[in-house]
Amino acid sequence: MHDDRTLVEARLRRVLDERIRPAVYPESVPLQVAVWHAPGEPVPVEEGLAAEPGPIEVGARWGAPWGTSWFRVTGTVPEAWAGRTVEALLDLGFDENMPGFQCEGLVHRPDGTPVKGLNPRNQWVRIGAPVAGGEEVVLHIEAASNPVVLDYHPFLPTRLGDRETAGSEPQYALTRMDLAVFDETVWQLVMDLEVLGELMAELPADSARRYDIVRAVERALDAVDLQDVGATADRARQQLTGVLAAPAVPSAHRISAVGHAHIDSAWLWPLRETVRKVARTTSNMTALIEDEPDFVFAMSQAQQWAWVKEHRPEVWARVKKAVADGRFVPAGGMWVESDTNMPGSEAMARQFVHGKRFFLDEFGIENEEAWLPDTFGFAAGLPQIIRAAGSKWLLTQKISWSQTNKFPHHTFQWEGIDGTRIFTHFPPVDTYNCSMKGGEIAHAARNFKDKGRARHSLAPTGWGDGGGGTTREMIAKAARMRDLEGSATVAWETPRAFFEKAEAEYPEPPVWVGELYLELHRATLTSQAQTKQGNRRSEHLLREAELWAATAAVRTGFPYPYEELDRIWKTVLLHQFHDILPGSSIAWVHREARATYGRIAGELNGVIDAAQRALAGEGTAELLFNSAPHGRKGVPAGGAGAASLPQGTTLSPRTGGGYVLHNGLLRVEIDARGLVVSAYDIQADRETVAPGRAAGLLQLHPDFPNMWDAWDVDEFYRNTVTDLTDAESVQAAGGGVSVRVTRAFGASRVTQVLSLPPGERRLVIDTEVDWHETEKFLKLAFPLDLHAERYASETQFGHVYRPTHTNTSWEAAKFEACNHRFVHLAEPGWGVAVVNDSTYGHDVTRTVRTDGDRGTTTTVRVSLLRAPRFPDPETDQGVHRFRHALVPGAAIGDAVREGWRLNLPERRITGAHAVAPLVTVDDDAVVVTAVKLADDGSGDVVVRFHEAHGGRARATLTAGFEVADVTVTDLLERPLGDSEPPTREGARITVRLRPFELVTLRLRRS
């Protein structure tokens, strides 16, 4: 037989596009439209409904960037349409290729009841099925004219990312406002043909099943009268029943479809617009749930649920009912889908505390899965945190974006730094916006790495962001693929149902140890430095506020600010969302973030000051309050007292220019260029700086990645570097115990102050940059005379090791990585730490000298600033201040201690007496990350700590108050039933910890 397959396939495409799809709506009449443009920010629904609109015609331009327009559409259903299904078709000027990235609308009835959202792939509103004829139609559309920031030519600099710079040019043209007859039979024929056509294209060209479909499609097309599609659609559908009824083979891959709409809590739109995006999507999904009995929708991010509850109570009522019916599922158990690389230990824990508690309080639902499809890589401390929150599964997707290496598993156990393992799934469909296309389903089945051992995968299904979620077309396609020969099987299921099945069928999956590093978006560790700095400082201020407020509450009856701390924590957690903290949002988002962090700092400093004054009492003695988890200057961790005065630092001229700093522990030479050419550890008789090199060196690179400007730095940036060695001045400063260096480069200026604190083995470098570069990358380099094949980077509740070599493509791909407060490198018996107060990105390389002793040197470079132009064309412009310290002779414990000290500077106030710590720990390897009162208001003291050196620890925790009982709890402060209570003698509690083990104790006061 002649092969006419391509002929039939081409015929199918044209007939669908030009005849059958248009026949879904065979008759239509125009609606009358009027509009009111809200001045400024969005207005309440009542105000929008009450406003008097003016006339507007289809085709007219509307919508200034970030504006809100209230359309009123009115009309009458023709009497001749009685008995038929009628829908309103409301096209605001959509581009179907941009669901989620342009204008959107929420339809209301005249009484303010929300109906559903309008989106590029979801433009219809059901009027009646059937109608009686003659009905009056009145609908109100709250339309958001969000501008297209990420256009067909992506990553071009644009001023549209901030209302202050976006202008007032109308962004859209009103395209269609009609009442139309909906022919469901034709629509079902479209679904039949789309599913079969898409499946056919994925089958082998010589397979019998493909030809069965070709012949059935041919018969169906022959049955359609192209001049009267509606009358012949049912006849055409009958030709397809056989091929649609053929069941899947027993070995077919099985896909759990989960209705989903991945909504970035801020990205190419501000936070206030996300509130409305969530309302539109939840309106859509609750309406769809009412129409589709098998459909299940899952929504993550407790913050987004809270927004619906706060801002749209009428939508919240529908959501609550759907949750009660088991159809609308809270997922993920986190406050937002946060970045996981940069949030600190406590912040990462509180993401789960606040997220899970919201779903427990509102619905009594315990989330056991972490849901993070779009996060830019996963820190190695996360498995323990997930488990400590009472969860046991993880879903992610973004690892499929890695540029260099393809991840070897789709279902696996992920092992963290402490040995905790989490059952993890990485959907092979390779998208978190699955639309049920045949190509996506076939790709999932082919791509699944664990074939032969497992056959289940998950497909998050629906348009994300402002795309409106799952559509009726996706549900129709899934129904046809429930049991269809040649296809994977598809069934709507909750995340829990999927994980239970996947875990049961795969009892011994492979294990991946360590971080899940994303080989992409590495520059998110540096972009928008002030956002990152605000996050870091907010985390540490919250630690201080909880510590001193709890201490004062126990000691003096100070009113513990439960509600204030809860609110501030949630604000900080929101800003850890994976496009805010990483610096990949529009200018508006980061402008607001800077203001928010400033406000938070003021509030928290107020709490801290009030609590410390309550503790110190009235007096004239100078007290040092030590918030760090280790003692300093004679003051214990978590206590206050008079500081000891260590031996001073001297500064003297250096031969050949520059200065020498000396404090009895270190001798630091700063040359005439203002660069550190020697940092000599006197006790170890050891030089820190690599021979012939200089530390504290600023280096400037061009930085123009191939795409994803704010997100990416491509490895070729290293090919060109400019060392900033010219100094305008190198002068003694700080009363003669510091050196100030000033430099100018390009349009920017930098001032560095190098200090050697008395009695401490650390060189502190304060850097102030007035940054006005474009598409440049600024690094701070420390070439070290160390032979190190690996180095440690602090992460949540411990540290992770990375190689310094590039033996394999996996190692070479980690050319930019994340640390928290320190990186540490060591030879046996001697090491060096580089600590920071607010930076995350860094790189570490190794070199073998070709002269002298041919020794190995290792260079640590801290990433300071970038200057990408998309999506914020003014990224990082302005003044920035950073603090770093070089710590020669540091063991890993020194790195931990110095990192905390740099981030929790001492506070001095006058008072009457010293303050004893609320709790003490007798082992420096055991680091207390939180001291607070229990969230339930009981007055119990909660202490969270972990082993920080990577070894075993036996420690005694002593409470500074009478203890009636001690309980080991999870992160939500609930008793852990499988944990033995620690040994206790009065207020002394003995604990034994595994390497990096995290423990939370709840101490009931007598």
Side-chain angles (χ1 to χ4, degrees):
M1 188 178 76
H2 298 297
D3 184 358
D4 63 348
R5 174 177 48 83
T6 57
L7 188 69
V8 174
E9 291 169 356
R11 180 187 179 194
L12 172 62
R13 285 192 295 272
R14 185 176 186 193
V15 170
L16 263 176
D17 288 344
E18 297 185 23
R19 293 294 185 270
I20 301 179
R21 286 196 186 97
V24 171
Y25 293 104
E27 300 177 56
S28 65
V29 296
L31 289 160
Q32 289 75 52
V33 190
V35 65
W36 174 71
H37 302 294
E41 286 295 281
V43 300
V45 173
E46 314 80 65
E47 185 176 340
L49 294 175
E52 187 61 37
I56 187 174
E57 299 293 328
V58 168
R61 305 288 298 179
W62 71 277
W66 306 112
T68 300
S69 298
W70 281 84
F71 292 96
R72 184 180 67 194
V73 294
T74 58
T76 304
V77 177
E79 299 283 355
W81 291 359
R84 304 174 78 177
T85 298
V86 174
E87 294 180 346
L89 300 180
L90 309 173
D91 187 343
L92 300 174
F94 296 124
D95 180 341
E96 290 192 359
N97 295 318
M98 289 190 175
F101 298 97
Q102 54 173 248
C103 59
E104 302 166 45
L106 180 57
V107 179
H108 299 80
R109 296 189 178 92
D111 64 0
T113 304
V115 180
K116 67 187 291 288
L118 294 178
N119 311 95
R121 301 290 182 96
N122 199 335
Q123 303 174 20
W124 57 274
V125 176
R126 181 64 57 89
I127 301 301
V131 295
E135 293 95 332
E136 295 298 320
V137 175
V138 181
L139 298 173
H140 297 262
I141 307 167
E142 180 192 15
S145 50
N146 302 332
V148 177
V149 176
L150 189 67
D151 214 332
Y152 284 101
H153 187 164
F155 317 121
L156 290 179
T158 175
R159 297 286 175 178
L160 290 172
D162 194 333
R163 184 158 195 164
E164 293 183 353
T165 60
S168 58
E169 184 71 21
Q171 298 292 295
Y172 298 99
L174 206 60
T175 301
R176 185 176 187 181
M177 292 277 150
D178 289 347
L179 283 179
V181 172
F182 175 71
D183 190 324
E184 183 163 357
T185 303
V186 175
W187 182 83
Q188 295 286 3
L189 175 61
V190 171
M191 295 298 100
D192 292 343
L193 290 171
E194 285 189 0
V195 167
L196 290 171
E198 291 165 4
L199 173 60
M200 183 167 55
E202 300 299 325
L203 295 170
D206 57 355
S207 72
R209 173 63 170 167
R210 183 160 183 165
Y211 278 92
D212 285 346
I213 296 174
V214 167
R215 298 279 76 87
V217 167
E218 183 179 45
R219 292 192 298 271
L221 296 177
D222 289 343
V224 174
D225 182 343
L226 299 185
Q227 275 64 54
D228 195 358
V229 173
T232 55
D234 186 64
R235 185 172 68 194
R237 291 197 71 202
Q238 293 174 23
Q239 301 301 316
L240 302 173
T241 55
V243 287
L244 285 170
V249 298
S251 61
H253 186 67
R254 298 170 185 172
I255 292 177
S256 296
V258 178
H260 188 52
H262 172 78
I263 303 177
D264 286 322
S265 290
W267 180 28
L268 304 180
W269 46 86
L271 286 166
R272 67 90 153 144
E273 192 56 32
T274 315
V275 176
R276 302 202 297 173
K277 285 176 179 284
V278 174
R280 298 174 198 123
T281 299
T282 50
S283 294
N284 267 354
M285 296 302 93
T286 52
L288 198 60
I289 283 169
E290 293 173 2
D291 294 339
E292 303 289 348
D294 295 332
F295 176 58
V296 175
F297 182 78
M299 189 168 91
S300 64
Q301 307 191 74
Q303 171 67 88
Q304 296 187 1
W305 293 71
W307 279 333
V308 177
K309 180 181 180 182
E310 177 184 356
H311 295 282
R312 302 307 295 257
E314 69 282 12
V315 180
W316 180 246
R318 289 162 54 176
V319 168
K320 286 187 70 174
K321 179 182 182 304
V323 172
D325 293 340
R327 308 280 304 286
F328 200 119
V329 182
M334 296 177 69
W335 190 247
V336 295
E337 289 182 16
S338 72
D339 180 82
T340 74
N341 286 310
M342 291 175 282
S345 302
E346 271 305 305
M348 200 74 256
R350 304 298 175 97
Q351 286 286 352
F352 288 91
V353 169
H354 287 284
K356 294 194 70 168
R357 187 171 287 146
F358 181 88
F359 294 138
L360 283 164
D361 290 348
E362 294 294 334
F363 308 114
I365 290 175
E366 173 91 14
N367 294 99
E368 292 190 293
E369 78 289 330
W371 183 277
L372 286 163
D374 190 28
T375 299
F376 309 152
F378 299 87
L382 190 58
Q384 178 175 208
I385 298 170
I386 294 172
R387 186 72 70 177
S391 298
K392 59 184 180 180
W393 302 311
L394 168 67
L395 178 133
T396 182
Q397 179 68 70
K398 201 72 169 192
I399 300 299
S400 67
W401 286 41
S402 283
Q403 287 179 317
T404 306
N405 299 284
K406 195 166 181 64
F407 198 76
H409 318 297
H410 281 108
T411 302
F412 58 99
Q413 291 278 9
W414 179 27
E415 181 178 318
I417 54 174
D418 73 312
T420 297
R421 291 180 176 180
I422 292 292
F423 188 82
T424 302
H425 182 65
F426 161 30
V429 71
D430 281 351
T431 178
Y432 40 83
N433 295 301
C434 176
S435 62
M436 282 294 140
K437 287 184 177 178
E440 293 171 332
I441 302 305
H443 175 75
R446 285 194 301 264
N447 189 38
F448 188 55
K449 297 291 186 186
D450 302 282
K451 289 187 284 283
R453 291 183 173 86
R455 64 177 57 168
H456 279 84
S457 73
L458 185 146
T461 302
W463 299 116
D465 295 320
T470 317
T471 66
R472 62 184 179 185
E473 288 78 13
M474 296 174 194
I475 292 174
K477 288 186 173 186
R480 287 157 174 80
M481 291 184 284
R482 178 183 294 275
D483 189 14
L484 181 62
E485 183 185 355
S487 171
T489 66
V490 178
W492 295 103
E493 293 187 301
T494 65
R496 175 184 293 275
F498 161 74
F499 274 110
E500 287 175 344
K501 290 179 180 178
E503 201 169 26
E505 78 170 359
Y506 208 1
E508 295 185 9
V511 177
W512 181 270
V513 178
E515 65 185 330
L516 291 170
Y517 178 92
L518 177 64
E519 296 170 356
L520 192 72
H521 293 357
R522 302 166 182 89
T524 57
L525 303 173
T526 305
S527 297
Q528 297 287 0
Q530 290 181 339
T531 299
K532 291 170 170 57
Q533 201 163 64
N535 172 73
R536 177 78 68 87
R537 291 177 180 170
S538 296
E539 290 180 351
H540 288 95
L541 286 169
L542 277 161
R543 170 196 171 84
E544 291 188 81
E546 289 182 337
L547 168 66
W548 299 121
T551 305
V554 172
R555 295 277 163 71
T556 72
F558 179 82
Y560 191 80
Y562 290 102
E563 293 183 3
E564 187 175 359
L565 291 173
D566 180 79
R567 172 179 52 79
I568 293 173
W569 261 119
K570 288 173 178 174
T571 301
V572 172
L573 298 178
L574 166 60
H575 286 78
Q576 291 178 338
F577 178 75
H578 66 252
D579 278 306
I580 304 178
L581 180 54
S584 46
S585 290
I586 55 174
W588 190 342
V589 173
H590 293 288
R591 172 171 56 80
E592 289 189 331
R594 291 190 293 271
T596 298
Y597 286 131
R599 185 174 66 253
I600 285 171
E603 291 185 74
L604 291 174
N605 277 313
V607 171
I608 294 163
D609 183 69
Q612 289 181 339
R613 292 191 181 281
L615 286 164
E618 295 292 332
T620 59
E622 185 178 70
L623 301 174
L624 183 156
F625 276 78
N626 178 19
S627 303
H630 306 90
R632 65 173 156 203
K633 296 183 179 178
V635 178
S644 59
L645 299 175
Q647 179 182 351
T649 298
T650 63
L651 182 144
S652 58
R654 175 180 177 271
T655 302
Y659 296 91
V660 177
L661 291 166
H662 195 297
N663 69 356
L665 299 173
L666 294 180
R667 186 180 71 244
V668 176
E669 295 186 32
I670 300 163
D671 70 5
R673 303 170 299 170
L675 299 175
V676 179
V677 292
S678 175
Y680 193 75
D681 181 345
I682 295 169
Q683 182 179 359
D685 189 22
R686 177 76 184 254
E687 176 58 63
T688 306
V689 181
R693 304 287 298 280
L697 172 67
L698 291 165
Q699 295 182 305
L700 192 65
H701 296 271
D703 183 19
F704 189 62
N706 289 345
M707 58 193 306
W708 296 108
D709 295 39
W711 296 256
D712 280 1
V713 57
D714 290 329
E715 191 173 15
F716 55 72
Y717 88 93
R718 290 179 172 178
N719 297 347
T720 307
V721 60
T722 301
D723 292 345
L724 303 180
T725 57
D726 293 339
E728 289 185 345
S729 65
V730 180
Q731 299 174 328
V737 293
S738 301
V739 177
R740 177 180 288 111
V741 183
T742 58
R743 309 182 194 278
F745 58 94
S748 303
R749 295 184 61 82
V750 61
T751 300
Q752 287 181 303
V753 177
L754 295 85
S755 307
L756 191 57
E760 299 183 15
R761 191 165 34 226
R762 61 183 172 126
L763 173 67
V764 177
I765 302 176
D766 289 294
T767 304
E768 179 178 293
V769 187
D770 189 5
W771 180 247
H772 297 284
E773 304 307 300
T774 298
E775 295 165 352
K776 296 289 193 295
F777 197 4
L778 185 65
K779 292 264 189 175
L780 178 63
F782 297 91
L784 307 174
D785 193 11
L786 267 174
H787 178 94
E789 293 188 359
R790 67 175 188 170
Y791 72 99
S793 291
E794 188 182 35
T795 189
Q796 293 99 0
F797 298 110
H799 53 266
V800 63
Y801 285 102
R802 299 187 184 98
T804 61
H805 58 75
T806 54
N807 282 359
T808 72
S809 59
W810 293 88
E811 290 137 2
K814 295 183 180 181
F815 60 82
E816 185 80 3
C818 183
N819 67 278
H820 287 186
R821 287 169 289 249
F822 71 81
V823 296
H824 178 259
L825 304 92
E827 295 173 359
W830 194 83
V832 178
V834 177
V835 300
N836 72 84
D837 75 340
S838 59
T839 55
Y840 297 92
H842 70 275
D843 67 84
V844 178
T845 54
R846 59 204 305 265
T847 305
V848 176
R849 298 195 297 273
T850 58
D851 56 356
D853 63 4
R854 298 184 181 177
T856 305
T857 62
T858 310
T859 299
V860 177
R861 298 198 310 158
V862 177
S863 303
L864 295 183
L865 290 166
R866 299 183 68 237
R869 301 184 64 209
F870 182 88
D872 177 3
E874 300 295 327
T875 301
D876 282 332
Q877 301 299 298
V879 176
H880 303 268
R881 296 176 181 87
F882 307 97
R883 173 167 283 191
H884 294 84
L886 178 68
V887 189
I892 194 71
D894 300 312
V896 173
R897 182 188 64 248
E898 295 298 338
W900 279 104
R901 285 183 179 176
L902 198 73
N903 282 269
L904 288 165
E906 59 198 48
R907 293 176 184 260
R908 294 176 184 264
I909 67 171
T910 57
H913 50 76
V915 178
L918 197 59
V919 295
T920 61
V921 181
D922 66 355
D923 186 343
D924 274 357
V926 178
V927 171
V928 175
T929 60
V931 177
K932 59 189 287 292
L933 295 193
D935 291 340
D936 62 6
S938 63
D940 293 353
V941 175
V942 172
V943 184
R944 187 150 34 248
F945 52 90
H946 70 287
E947 195 289 317
H949 294 183
R952 302 272 173 172
R954 180 185 183 278
T956 299
L957 183 146
T958 303
F961 53 91
E962 291 188 14
V963 176
D965 189 30
V966 58
T967 307
V968 181
T969 74
D970 66 7
L971 295 179
L972 278 72
E973 302 168 7
R974 304 174 298 188
L976 285 178
D978 58 352
S979 292
E980 294 185 9
T983 303
R984 180 172 71 90
E985 295 182 8
R988 292 167 54 85
I989 302 158
T990 301
V991 292
R992 296 178 184 271
L993 287 84
R994 304 184 312 272
F996 301 128
E997 183 179 3
L998 159 66
V999 176
T1000 304
L1001 295 182
R1002 181 169 180 148
L1003 311 180
R1004 184 162 59 85
R1005 293 151 57 193
S1006 297

